[in-house]
Amino acid sequence: QDAYSKRLIPVSSISRVTSVGDQKFEVITNNRNFVFRAESDADRNEWIRTLQQVAEERRSKAPERTSMSLATDSATEPADKSGFLELRGFKHKLFVVVAGDKVFLYKNAEDYRLGIGITYIEMNVGNVKEVDRRGFDLTTPYRIFSFSADSEQEKEEWVEAMQQSIAEALSNSEVAERIWAVESNRSCADCGSPKPDWASINLCVVICKRCAGEHRALGPGITKVRSLKMDRKVWTEELIKLFQQFGNAMANEFWAANVPPSEAIGPTSSSQDRRRFLIAKYREGKYRHYHPLFGNQEELDRALCVAVTTSDLKETQALLFCGASVTCDTGDSQCPTPLALAERSGQRLQMEFLLHNKTSGWLGGCLGWAELGGLPSALLCRAEFSRRWCTLQDGVLSYYESDRNAVPNGEIRVEEIVCLVNNPLHTHGIEVTFEVYTEAERLYLFGLESPDSAREWLKSLAKSFVHPCAEELLALDFERLGRLHYKGGLTLERAQEGWFALVGSTLHVCSEDGQRQEPLQLRKLQELCACPCPAGGTPWLGGRGCPPNPPPGRAGRTLYIQGERKLDFLAWVHPIQRAAGSSGDTLSEQQLTEADVPLLVDRCIDYITQCGLTSEGIYRKSGQNSKTTSLLEVLQQDARRVCLKEGEHHVDDVANTLKRFFRDLGDGLFTRQWAPDWLWATALEDEEAKVSEYRQLLGALPPVNRATLKALINHLFRVQCFSGENQMNTHNLAIVFGPTLFQTDGKDYKAGRVVEDLINHYVEIFNVNDQEMKKQQDEIMAIMKMREASSSGMQQAGDFICTVYLEEKKTETEQHVKIPATMTAEELTFEILDRRKIVMKEKDYWSCFEVNEREEA
């Protein structure tokens, strides 16, 4: 039985329940009625009695919001994310709500308002996975919900919201329960919402989820937000005790001592009102209780040095947030800082409070003026973008309250920078923004109103922190630039430091010895995967591919990269994964092979060559539409991860996938610019003139289109070689592929004529030399022999007997292995190791190389 309902009616919306005939009863709600049939009259009466009783009990209680109340009332929580999504299996979009640890489905927004839903999903059993640019799957043990959003950005927001819902569902309440033991901590310190499960660990306030979002916008220099339930490692015993002793009551005696009733916020306040209130409360200190020493820096610092040696946390709080410096000079050579004084005095809670406020003050950066090489420019930083004056001098990026201040609000030393990110225009609502990642796992967001000024800042910052050995990377129009650890080639035991620049889909690398390596074309990677670190540290990202235009006989290379910290690693891994994937619907935006052919096309052609050349009606027969759609989606998402196998994929489905790809291709294979000229050329009566025209038009196509056309016609040339078995001669193939490649309705015979001419004159038009032709004929003969062997039962179609050597080419290391056409290098490696009873150890690296007759890898 289905674990998910087709309809949900909140009990609170039921006005009455009545009998309406044999075995039937009617549930009447505020605006619609529902008729049900029970198995018997007795069952019907029992349902009526139970529903009336529950509805009456519900009405007797205080009224609550009727949003699909369910048994747990969790839908009464404010929605974390809501809106319309397409769901496979439904004709119309559904209104979807993420609230707490559940996801709710409604037919429309009106049903959401009334609380009449379709079903809800407990996220403690859920898993979210992106499937394409707009689609994602929510997988549970009972069903897969395939959603599609209106845009890629919308999809990412939904995925993030559902992942947070899963994290909340799997969270631990032990820390929360201990902190809630203090009465004042049971309500949000800012809006009063019950059971707040977030906290600012430097301000020592417990806050609700909605206020936590606005706290993050203030920046970590003002408030450091952590979850009571999910960030378990943060909550040391000392920090929990600090919150138990401090509490929201003590914190608000200072921060909210003078809040006018007209400016206070409540649980239902809007995000805009919360933001306004929290900026006034914590950034501007508008409502705080001022310490008598406020304005006297020397006296404040002296008083702090005394307070930290006592248990008076309230005094320390008032001094610190009224201007006392947490790093002031104590005058004691043995204990030069207030933290050292607290440690000597055994005041562990004072130490904890000071540690979390070592960087108090607005460190996130802001909107303001920056001085760079004597030229002023507007500089914005962080979510609220407050105005600051910024300078870059002597390897230090400093930002000040204004250009009149002598003491900076904060500093970033350039040697601590590990990565610079140049964001696309208007990423954060302003013209230009860039990001700075530091060794301390901190992210600073800066913004400017002028692209030219942004380039100057990025250029100067990059020049300050990039090692001289990698200076040539500064000339690139980079999206990301920074240092990473990497391993490559045959020396995978030791990692070295290198400098990397991401430009479009190309990754440029400079090693620590100053040698610039061949850039990696990320769309041409043969493999890309994240490798977990055995020690539980920062994971590695592994990529295997070829440099651009590799010389003959030169193999590709494997590269593993690792960031300084997890935050820095994630800043690289996601953009690299995006750059290595298909980014659009034109040929040049696809994942590519070494030969500039889309990997999707190569996978389909390779499979049909192995398994479908003799299939009757290949390309004429249509595969199953649903399987074609599904296969095309997964190939377009990441063709590297797709392995087409005989028995799992039908040749007609794969053939249909290839045809649909070309029919839906943006700009077409022949391009909109040149397609009319190709069609015109068919009118030429002189064959030599026609072939010459085709060759000129071929040379005019973009490189990827040219390579793809050659690969496809090469494949169709092979297919027609088996026309005696597959019934697909040149003319039949042209009838199928003409309208497909020119994206026409099939009425114009010229499209088919072009394809027929290309197949018939394949050798002349594509300048195929004798060596290529012999190789192709050998492959055709090998396929024919395999098919003959298969039909006689001698061996499975596609199997080869290969000789494999383990580490050295010696008789004693020789193994003869039958290799099916679908066997991967990984499967072959494990097969050999298993035969020799070799156990794979944790840090072992095994590689498999194919060697030709000249013993070249």
Side-chain angles (χ1 to χ4, degrees):
Q1 292 183 353
D2 197 340
Y4 298 104
S5 63
K6 299 291 189 296
R7 205 76 169 141
L8 283 168
I9 307 169
V11 174
S12 56
S13 70
I14 297 175
S15 56
R16 68 178 191 277
V17 186
T18 61
S19 172
V20 290
D22 292 343
Q23 303 174 5
K24 295 181 183 177
F25 63 97
E26 187 176 32
V27 176
I28 302 169
T29 68
N30 298 332
N31 78 326
R32 70 180 71 168
N33 302 344
F34 300 87
V35 177
F36 296 89
R37 181 192 294 273
E39 291 187 355
S40 66
D41 287 345
D43 280 346
R44 176 199 62 193
N45 296 337
E46 180 65 20
W47 274 105
I48 292 173
R49 186 189 65 79
T50 303
L51 286 171
Q52 286 176 335
Q53 180 181 341
V54 173
E56 186 60 35
E57 290 175 357
R58 186 76 177 194
R59 280 195 293 270
S60 66
K61 295 181 180 179
E64 297 178 355
R65 180 176 178 269
T66 61
S67 172
M68 207 192 297
S69 300
L70 310 174
T72 59
D73 277 344
S74 23
T76 59
E77 297 180 17
D80 301 316
K81 173 77 176 167
S82 63
F84 287 96
L85 287 173
E86 294 176 13
L87 176 60
R88 187 178 297 168
F90 287 81
K91 290 183 179 179
H92 304 290
K93 289 184 179 180
L94 299 183
F95 193 79
V96 182
V97 176
V98 181
D101 58 356
K102 295 180 180 65
V103 171
F104 301 87
L105 307 182
Y106 300 85
K107 277 193 171 182
N108 49 52
E110 177 65 15
D111 278 5
Y112 167 61
R113 188 183 65 79
L114 297 171
I116 299 173
I118 298 172
T119 192
Y120 72 98
I121 305 157
E122 298 273 5
M123 295 299 275
N124 62 333
V125 295
N127 182 45
V128 184
K129 180 182 178 182
E130 298 183 39
V131 295
D132 58 35
R133 289 198 302 273
R134 296 191 300 111
F136 62 96
D137 286 346
L138 171 54
T139 305
T140 73
Y142 318 107
R143 181 178 169 186
I144 298 176
F145 297 85
S146 297
F147 294 102
S148 182
D150 289 335
S151 66
E152 187 172 0
Q153 182 180 347
E154 268 287 299
K155 178 204 70 177
E156 291 174 354
E157 290 175 4
W158 278 106
V159 169
E160 182 181 359
M162 290 191 184
Q163 286 173 340
Q164 288 180 357
S165 180
I166 292 170
E168 187 167 332
L170 300 175
S171 59
N172 191 321
S173 298
E174 180 185 350
V175 171
E177 293 295 342
R178 290 182 64 184
I179 289 178
W180 289 342
V182 178
E183 186 175 353
S184 65
N185 291 342
R186 296 173 200 162
S187 300
C188 174
D190 298 321
C191 73
S193 293
K195 287 198 170 182
D197 52 5
W198 292 80
S200 170
I201 58 173
N202 63 310
L203 300 177
C204 290
V205 292
V206 188
I207 52 180
C208 68
K209 189 173 184 178
R210 294 188 68 189
C211 287
E214 302 304 329
H215 269 256
R216 285 197 196 92
L218 295 175
I222 291 179
T223 172
K224 300 172 184 176
V225 182
R226 298 292 185 271
S227 170
L228 299 184
K229 296 181 177 180
M230 292 179 281
D231 296 323
R232 303 177 194 177
K233 292 183 179 179
V234 171
W235 294 99
T236 61
E237 191 62 26
E238 284 79 15
L239 185 57
I240 294 172
K241 288 179 179 177
L242 181 63
F243 269 73
Q244 288 175 330
Q245 184 165 332
F246 219 95
N248 284 349
M250 186 189 295
N252 276 336
E253 283 179 15
F254 173 77
W255 289 110
N258 304 292
V259 180
S262 60
E263 295 184 23
I265 60 172
T268 60
S269 294
S270 66
S271 297
Q272 186 177 356
D273 289 341
R274 288 174 198 269
R275 189 177 305 119
R276 172 193 52 75
F277 176 77
L278 295 180
I279 289 172
K281 182 177 180 180
Y282 296 112
R283 178 184 289 175
E284 299 171 359
K286 182 178 179 180
Y287 315 121
R288 62 185 165 179
H289 179 77
Y290 285 89
H291 195 279
L293 298 175
F294 178 77
N296 189 329
Q297 188 65 51
E298 187 176 337
E299 291 298 322
L300 283 169
D301 291 345
R302 189 178 295 120
L304 179 65
C305 293
V306 174
V308 296
T309 63
T310 72
S311 59
D312 193 350
L313 288 166
K314 188 175 181 179
E315 176 71 1
T316 301
Q317 174 201 38
L319 290 165
L320 203 56
F321 293 122
C322 280
S325 172
V326 73
T327 57
C328 66
D329 186 4
T330 64
D332 186 336
S333 59
Q334 293 183 330
C335 299
T337 64
L339 182 62
L341 288 175
E343 184 177 12
R344 185 174 66 183
S345 303
Q347 297 295 334
R348 300 188 64 83
L349 296 187
Q350 291 277 15
M351 289 173 60
E352 189 73 11
F353 186 64
L354 293 172
L355 280 169
H356 290 295
N357 282 284
K358 281 182 72 175
T359 55
S360 61
W362 179 234
L363 292 180
C366 340
L367 164 61
W369 294 100
E371 187 172 352
L372 181 60
L375 298 174
S377 60
L379 182 66
L380 315 159
C381 274
R382 212 73 199 164
E384 288 299 327
F385 297 113
S386 299
R387 187 170 291 269
R388 293 292 184 269
W389 179 268
C390 301
T391 62
L392 179 62
Q393 286 182 326
D394 301 324
V396 179
L397 173 62
S398 307
Y399 39 95
Y400 302 78
E401 190 73 26
S402 73
D403 57 349
R404 295 185 298 275
N405 287 67
V407 180
N409 286 25
E411 296 177 339
I412 305 172
R413 308 194 74 81
V414 293
E415 65 263 23
E416 297 173 355
I417 297 175
V418 294
C419 181
L420 284 179
V421 178
N422 185 13
N423 290 317
L425 295 176
H426 305 291
T427 299
H428 296 281
I430 56 174
E431 185 74 12
V432 190
T433 57
F434 65 86
E435 298 167 14
V436 178
Y437 291 78
T438 67
E439 292 174 342
E441 275 204 285
R442 297 194 65 179
L443 164 61
Y444 297 83
L445 175 64
F446 294 85
L448 297 97
E449 295 172 344
S450 163
D452 291 337
S453 298
R455 278 191 290 271
E456 287 297 317
W457 273 99
L458 279 169
K459 185 178 177 181
S460 296
L461 281 168
K463 193 173 182 180
S464 299
F465 91 97
V466 171
H467 194 276
C469 71
E471 277 188 348
E472 55 192 291
L473 297 181
L474 301 179
L476 301 172
D477 187 17
F478 60 85
E479 297 164 26
R480 268 173 169 71
L481 175 70
R483 70 173 188 260
L484 296 164
H485 298 292
Y486 75 96
K487 300 187 287 190
L490 300 175
T491 56
L492 297 176
E493 294 80 15
R494 186 184 71 86
Q496 56 182 322
E497 189 175 80
W499 294 87
F500 291 72
L502 181 62
V503 183
S505 60
T506 304
L507 187 65
H508 298 262
V509 187
C510 272
S511 60
E512 58 187 356
D513 57 8
Q515 299 214 349
R516 184 171 180 180
Q517 302 181 19
E518 287 284 353
L520 278 173
Q521 300 294 335
L522 297 176
R523 287 209 181 103
K524 292 188 178 182
L525 288 182
Q526 297 167 24
E527 186 178 359
L528 180 68
C529 61
C531 316
C533 181
T538 307
W540 291 86
L541 181 69
R544 181 164 58 89
C546 290
N549 306 314
R554 178 172 174 182
R557 72 183 194 268
T558 301
L559 190 70
Y560 295 89
I561 62 174
Q562 183 184 47
E564 292 279 340
R565 300 286 188 273
K566 190 171 182 179
L567 178 66
D568 178 39
F569 174 75
L570 294 176
W572 280 97
V573 66
H574 296 314
I576 287 175
Q577 288 173 335
R578 282 197 300 272
S582 299
S583 60
D585 60 358
T586 63
L587 280 176
S588 61
E589 294 173 307
Q590 308 301 309
Q591 293 172 322
L592 301 172
T593 66
E594 245 184 277
D596 275 342
V597 177
L599 199 55
L600 181 154
V601 174
D602 185 71
R603 287 276 197 270
C604 292
I605 287 177
D606 186 55
Y607 178 79
I608 292 169
T609 299
Q610 293 181 42
C611 308
L613 284 183
T614 58
S615 176
E616 185 176 344
I618 185 70
Y619 289 118
R620 188 181 69 241
K621 289 182 180 178
S622 294
Q624 291 187 31
N625 192 51
S626 59
K627 290 186 177 180
T628 298
T629 301
S630 175
L631 181 56
L632 184 59
E633 282 182 2
V634 296
L635 282 167
Q636 286 180 321
Q637 182 185 349
D638 189 356
R640 293 187 196 93
R641 295 181 176 273
V642 179
C643 182
L644 299 175
K645 293 186 177 180
E646 194 169 13
E648 292 183 20
H649 300 91
H650 195 279
V651 289
D652 291 331
D653 295 330
V654 178
N656 213 31
T657 299
L658 183 63
K659 289 190 296 181
R660 187 179 295 183
F661 170 75
F662 281 117
R663 178 169 282 281
D664 297 341
L665 194 61
D667 201 35
L669 177 60
F670 292 96
T671 74
R672 293 188 183 93
Q673 179 185 356
W674 296 106
D677 293 353
W678 283 88
L679 296 174
W680 171 85
T682 60
L684 295 173
E685 294 182 3
D686 184 80
E687 287 298 309
E688 286 189 17
K690 188 193 295 185
V691 169
S692 176
E693 182 67 20
Y694 282 146
R695 290 186 65 171
Q696 288 186 33
L697 289 170
L698 181 66
L701 290 177
V704 176
N705 296 57
R706 189 163 58 245
T708 305
L709 181 59
K710 181 178 180 180
L712 178 63
I713 299 302
N714 175 24
H715 170 62
L716 298 182
F717 181 83
R718 293 187 189 189
V719 172
Q720 60 87 32
C721 288
F722 292 85
S723 59
E725 297 170 80
N726 61 35
Q727 307 300 312
M728 294 300 290
N729 57 29
T730 302
H731 182 68
N732 290 339
L733 288 170
I735 291 173
V736 172
F737 273 93
T740 297
L741 300 183
F742 282 92
Q743 301 174 340
T744 64
D745 56 8
K747 294 179 181 178
D748 189 348
Y749 71 92
K750 295 177 186 175
R753 186 70 180 275
V754 171
V755 175
E756 192 167 354
D757 287 342
L758 289 175
I759 298 173
N760 287 332
H761 299 287
Y762 164 65
V763 175
E764 298 94 333
I765 294 172
F766 293 96
N767 197 25
V768 179
N769 58 38
D770 293 341
Q771 186 178 352
E772 281 184 86
M773 203 63 200
K774 184 180 183 305
K775 180 182 177 184
Q776 183 157 313
Q777 289 170 349
D778 290 343
E779 289 174 354
I780 292 172
M781 291 299 297
I783 293 168
M784 292 176 71
K785 287 180 181 178
M786 284 192 298
R787 287 298 173 187
E788 288 172 8
S790 173
S791 60
S792 64
M794 291 171 59
Q795 76 178 87
Q796 184 179 338
D799 291 0
F800 290 94
I801 302 297
C802 281
T803 302
V804 180
Y805 297 94
L806 184 64
E807 296 190 296
E808 297 179 277
K809 188 179 179 182
K810 293 181 178 179
T811 305
E812 56 268 26
T813 66
E814 185 178 280
Q815 291 283 321
H816 298 289
V817 185
K818 184 169 76 171
I819 302 179
T822 55
M823 176 179 271
T824 64
E826 181 182 31
E827 291 168 343
L828 176 59
T829 303
F830 283 126
E831 168 82 12
I832 297 298
L833 295 178
D834 187 54
R835 286 191 183 191
R836 288 305 183 100
K837 296 183 171 51
I838 296 175
V839 180
M840 280 276 288
K841 296 180 182 178
E842 190 175 33
K843 292 187 178 181
D844 281 355
Y845 294 93
W846 289 92
S847 299
C848 180
F849 298 93
E850 183 180 357
V851 180
N852 64 17
E853 63 272 13
R854 295 190 300 275
E855 297 193 5
E856 294 174 334

